[in-house]
Amino acid sequence: NAGVTQTPKFRVLKTGQSMTLLCAQDMNHEYMYWYRQDPGMGLRLIHYSVGEGTTAKGEVPDGYNVSRLKKQNFLLGLESAAPSQTSVYFCATIPAIGVKYEQYFGPGTRLTVT
Amino acid sequence: AQTVTQSQPEMSVQEAETVTLSCTYDTSESDYYLFWYKQPPSRQMILVIRQEAYKQQNATENRFSVNFQKAAKSFSLKISDSQLGDAAMYFCAYERFGNEKLTFGTGTRLTIIP
């Protein structure tokens, strides 16, 4: 099992460009999350999904969109990248509520917006 | 809203010694989980230990143990017999039961002195 994978691992964008980050999991987990990590601020929740076809906003959703068309994939989109979106992005999953509650994290994607 | 505070941005400890990392949190809930995650230079988030709020007994995992003080809303991590591989950022995190979203502290960078 690969667990949780993220594509790409690194990316540099110019301001105004768009891109999509892919999170894939092979554990049949229901819940998936996108976080961003900035120096001195820990990890903050951007968006999450409690199942295929569902998404919800987290703590810092502005400037991002997400989609969960397939259970195993959770996509994070930046329509018009801004330097403030320079960060490390992490995807995480859990099986379901009440089954197991610690989150399984992907390896992260480092995004730089110039 | 729940908040998690880690008041020690950096800590250092001599190899083989014991170190304690502090974490406090604020919540009005009675059912929740607390976690310590380790993030080494590889960026991968690794679960170190978890504690269910309804359990009075402090969790332990080999050299890692917690001091959970529910009334004081304190959740410290003790690392015994520190090893070079323990060098990392350590994040304290809170999760309300039935709402599987993590709230992270800002992290403590732990350095191990050989």
Side-chain angles (χ1 to χ4, degrees), chain A residues 43-104:
Chain A
L43 279 75
R44 293 179 294 167
L45 182 64
I46 305 171
H47 286 281
Y48 66 102
S49 169
V50 301
E52 182 178 315
T54 73
T55 63
K57 293 180 180 179
E59 182 185 356
V60 288
D62 294 342
Y64 305 95
N65 56 75
V66 288
S67 65
R68 183 105 181 263
L69 299 179
K70 294 183 179 180
K71 185 177 183 178
Q72 64 268 33
N73 295 338
F74 194 29
L75 302 173
L76 178 70
L78 287 73
E79 290 186 349
S80 179
S84 61
Q85 294 177 305
T86 293
S87 189
V88 179
Y89 292 85
F90 286 95
C91 177
T93 73
I94 61 170
I97 284 185
V99 174
K100 210 170 182 184
Y101 34 81
E102 67 258 32
Q103 296 192 3
Y104 297 78

Side-chain angles (χ1 to χ4, degrees), chain B residues 71-91:
Chain B
K73 296 180 183 175
S74 170
F75 183 61
S76 61
L77 175 69
K78 186 171 82 171
I79 306 174
S80 304
D81 185 25
S82 297
Q83 300 176 0
L84 295 178
D86 295 333
M89 283 288 288
Y90 286 82
F91 291 96

Side-chain angles (χ1 to χ4, degrees), chain A residues 1 4 7 9 11 21 24 26 38 47 55 58 60 62 69 76 78 85 96 102 112-113:
Chain A
N1 285 353
V4 183
T7 308
K9 289 186 170 51
R11 185 72 185 269
L21 281 65
D26 61 1
D38 302 294
H47 286 281
T55 63
V60 288
D62 294 342
L69 299 179
L76 178 70
L78 287 73
Q85 294 177 305
E102 67 258 32
T112 302
V113 183

Side-chain angles (χ1 to χ4, degrees), chain A residues 18-51:
Chain A
S18 63
M19 78 162 293
T20 301
L21 281 65
L22 169 64
C23 175
Q25 52 104 355
D26 61 1
M27 299 177 287
N28 202 34
H29 286 184
E30 291 291 337
Y31 285 55
M32 299 185 74
Y33 306 82
W34 276 108
Y35 294 91
R36 60 176 289 173
Q37 181 181 21
D38 302 294
M41 300 190 74
L43 279 75
R44 293 179 294 167
L45 182 64
I46 305 171
H47 286 281
Y48 66 102
S49 169
V50 301

